[in-house]
Amino acid sequence: MKTITYSDIIRQNVDMPESSERAKIVDITAEKQEKYWVSYGVIIETGFLDSKARFYPNRLLENVSHDTPIKLKSVKDKHERRGNWLLSKIKGSKILTEDKKEVGRVYDFEIFIDRDPWIIWKLLVNPLGISPMRRRMRIGTKYIKEYKKGKLYLKSGWKRGD
């Protein structure tokens, strides 16, 4: 399956059909499902001085990669936003265990883009502290119990290295 990180897709140029305005992806929506998080679409901002942000479903995006402009199939219809979270708001959030010990902070997301909706598979985490023995880690979204007040809480069965 094809994956991309949040940092590779955010601020990426988008080619809009029948429009010469500048467009960029400014955020990705997300919501929790039974086993993992999913994304139904992206927020695209058009224009430079008078910018307008609109939600577009993932199925309208073509050629999603970090090195070429993304193509949007259609802009005619208005789409209702799906997903109650924005990944930009979750980025930088603290990750806490059940006993409220901080594990680290989220610095990126790994996203599978081969299917619709996209699957937000892993959180990339900077561990707490500055010791060279502490390594960055990946935590599966299936281990996240809840997100509230800017903090992510891990399930009780989580172990480092899963």
Side-chain angles (χ1 to χ4, degrees), residues 11 20-23 45-53:
R11 306 305 300 164
S20 62
E21 290 184 322
R22 286 180 66 174
E45 198 172 76
T46 57
F48 183 66
L49 295 174
D50 187 26
S51 62
K52 296 174 188 160

Side-chain angles (χ1 to χ4, degrees), residues 14-23 46-47 56 72 75:
V14 178
D15 289 338
M16 306 283 279
E18 303 171 11
S19 175
S20 62
E21 290 184 322
R22 286 180 66 174
T46 57
Y56 293 97
L72 190 65
V75 294

Side-chain angles (χ1 to χ4, degrees), residues 1-160:
M1 287 171 61
K2 184 177 177 185
T3 64
I4 194 165
T5 59
Y6 170 82
S7 59
D8 284 339
I9 196 170
I10 205 71
R11 306 305 300 164
Q12 186 78 302
N13 289 327
V14 178
D15 289 338
M16 306 283 279
E18 303 171 11
S19 175
S20 62
E21 290 184 322
R22 286 180 66 174
K24 289 188 180 270
I25 294 177
V26 292
D27 218 334
I28 299 174
T29 63
E31 68 182 38
K32 183 178 174 128
Q33 283 196 347
E34 198 171 308
K35 290 187 178 181
Y36 41 78
W37 296 358
V38 296
S39 170
Y40 291 101
V42 297
I43 308 289
I44 297 177
E45 198 172 76
T46 57
F48 183 66
L49 295 174
D50 187 26
S51 62
K52 296 174 188 160
R54 286 184 48 194
F55 173 81
Y56 293 97
N58 295 332
R59 68 179 183 280
L60 296 179
L61 300 175
E62 290 180 343
N63 195 25
V64 178
S65 69
H66 67 279
D67 55 353
T68 59
I70 297 168
K71 291 186 169 96
L72 190 65
K73 291 180 190 175
S74 169
V75 294
K76 294 179 183 176
D77 299 330
K78 280 201 169 194
H79 304 281
E80 190 172 324
R81 181 175 147 186
R82 288 187 70 183
N84 48 358
W85 299 333
L86 294 174
L87 292 186
S88 65
K89 300 289 185 194
I90 298 173
K91 188 175 176 181
S93 297
K94 292 180 181 179
I95 297 182
L96 306 169
T97 59
E98 279 196 323
D99 54 349
K100 304 226 169 129
K101 288 186 181 177
E102 186 177 343
V103 173
R105 290 182 182 259
V106 177
Y107 73 90
D108 213 341
F109 305 90
E110 185 177 350
I111 306 168
F112 284 128
I113 58 173
D114 278 350
R115 51 169 41 172
D116 189 38
W118 292 349
I119 298 172
I120 300 157
W121 193 251
K122 301 269 184 184
L123 304 174
L124 282 63
V125 178
N126 269 333
L128 187 63
I130 58 172
S131 168
M133 300 305 288
R134 294 193 175 258
R135 299 179 61 167
R136 290 181 178 178
M137 58 186 144
R138 295 171 185 258
I139 299 176
T141 54
K142 65 182 178 181
Y143 295 113
I144 302 298
K145 182 179 177 182
E146 66 181 332
Y147 172 69
K148 70 178 181 186
K149 296 184 182 177
K151 296 178 183 168
L152 294 160
Y153 295 92
L154 292 169
K155 292 180 180 175
S156 60
W158 176 80
K159 292 179 195 159
R160 186 176 177 145

